[in-house]
Amino acid sequence: MKFSQNSERIESWITRIILLFFVAITIYPIVFVAINSLKSTSDFYANVWALPSTIHWSNYSSAWFDAQIGEYFTNSAIIVVSAVLVIAVFGVMAGYALGRLNLPYAEMILMFFLAMKMIPHESLIMPLYLMLSKMGIIGDHISLILPYAGWGLPIAIYILKNYFQTIPNSLLEAARIDGASEWLTFRKIMVPLAMPAIATVIIFNFVSLWGELLWATVALSTAKLKTLPLGIIVFQSEFATDWGPLSAAICMVMLPLVIVFLFMQKYFVQGITAGANKG
């Protein structure tokens, strides 16, 4: 018995050490960039690992205004938030329909969506560009919002369909007995209960789309419409030796990702563990 307890303690400490190690290697790059964002160029080249001798908050204003990161930030926010809203709204409706409305061939429809997700995005670049060009919307925000929404919907539908199926039938039956319509049941009961899954979909898609570069490079040619990843590339090529403002720009790129996760982590964890808790 004592040997078993000691073994469990050793395993617990080993697990904690491994987790702390992964936390450290995850956080360190963020801390490293944040420290260098407050350095002057001379401080950076003197010792890249040291703390700044003098804090230069001006690096952030230089990146925001001089390098037009603020303009690129606004473009990314409009595009990504719009795409994520489209994914969340249509994903919730499609997931509910496939998971709870007993549609014929629901599983086949879902498999079709997932099969489309298997196609590499790189192979879609040329036909997608030609199609949007003929529609006359290439080079505008909508030319990114629509493809982003299309790429994110299959997995969103899959996650939400499976989550809706874990919700007990008794809740739906009780609402219908009380005279609630299908739309009212969906809006007042199912959507609030599915918030953990919706938060998971929002976080996954926001993180993946915020840093998307390949399609943005192809679709956007106007400097005023460029997104943050394109802006960072321009910044790096034009101000390659000015590491302070460049690090500040990178911090501003990371900040929305951290904020979104901090505000939605409660629902995110619930969404990840829902299957295990309800299975």
Side-chain angles (χ1 to χ4, degrees):
M1 184 71 176
K2 186 176 181 180
F3 175 78
S4 176
Q5 291 178 347
N6 290 335
S7 177
E8 289 178 0
R9 289 177 182 175
I10 292 172
E11 290 179 1
S12 175
W13 276 108
I14 291 174
T15 303
R16 291 177 183 177
I17 292 171
I18 293 173
L19 290 175
L20 286 173
F21 173 75
F22 280 109
V23 168
I25 62 176
T26 300
I27 292 178
Y28 179 74
I30 300 175
V31 175
F32 177 79
V33 173
I35 290 173
N36 283 299
S37 71
L38 301 174
K39 290 182 179 180
S40 64
T41 302
S42 58
D43 277 350
F44 180 87
Y45 284 113
N47 189 346
V48 70
W49 309 106
L51 294 173
S53 58
T54 304
I55 294 178
H56 291 264
W57 293 107
S58 59
N59 288 339
Y60 285 87
S61 61
S62 176
W64 187 265
F65 296 107
D66 298 343
Q68 298 180 315
I69 293 298
E71 189 173 330
Y72 301 140
F73 189 98
T74 303
N75 291 334
S76 282
I78 293 172
I79 292 168
V80 174
V81 170
S82 300
V84 169
L85 284 176
V86 172
I87 292 169
V89 171
F90 285 94
V92 168
M93 292 191 291
Y96 178 74
L98 293 174
R100 306 299 306 195
L101 296 185
N102 298 319
L103 297 180
Y105 308 110
E107 291 298 328
M108 187 179 297
I109 295 172
L110 182 62
M111 289 302 106
F112 174 77
F113 285 141
L114 293 178
M116 294 299 100
K117 186 65 177 177
M118 302 284 182
I119 301 175
H121 290 175
E122 293 79 4
S123 64
L124 301 174
I125 296 298
M126 184 57 68
L128 187 59
Y129 182 84
L130 294 174
M131 181 179 69
L132 294 180
S133 294
K134 291 182 178 179
M135 294 172 63
I137 59 175
I138 199 71
D140 201 354
H141 285 164
I142 194 69
S143 64
L144 266 68
I145 294 172
L146 290 180
Y148 285 173
W151 291 333
L153 269 172
I155 298 300
I157 293 171
Y158 175 77
I159 293 173
L160 289 161
K161 172 188 176 294
N162 289 337
Y163 193 91
F164 279 126
Q165 288 179 328
T166 66
I167 298 176
N169 287 326
S170 57
L171 292 175
L172 289 175
E173 293 170 357
R176 287 164 182 162
I177 290 173
D178 289 340
S181 63
E182 195 68 52
W183 170 248
L184 187 62
T185 302
F186 167 73
R187 187 165 56 90
K188 293 292 187 179
I189 298 176
M190 302 303 282
V191 170
L193 289 175
M195 278 306 300
I198 296 172
T200 302
V201 166
I202 290 174
I203 291 174
F204 278 154
N205 283 283
F206 190 91
V207 170
S208 63
L209 297 179
W210 189 255
E212 199 282 329
L213 178 62
L214 178 60
W215 175 243
T217 304
V218 174
L220 296 179
S221 56
T222 305
K224 290 185 176 181
L225 297 178
K226 290 184 182 296
T227 57
L228 267 175
L230 295 174
I232 293 294
I233 291 177
V234 173
F235 191 102
Q236 190 172 6
S237 62
E238 293 183 0
F239 307 95
T241 58
D242 207 354
W243 287 102
L246 179 58
S247 298
I250 294 173
C251 286
M252 287 187 280
V253 171
M254 294 189 297
L255 184 61
L257 303 178
V258 175
I259 292 174
V260 168
F261 186 79
L262 288 178
F263 274 98
M264 305 190 74
Q265 62 176 330
K266 173 184 175 182
Y267 294 114
F268 178 73
V269 173
Q270 290 177 4
I272 293 295
T273 60
N277 293 335
K278 299 182 181 181

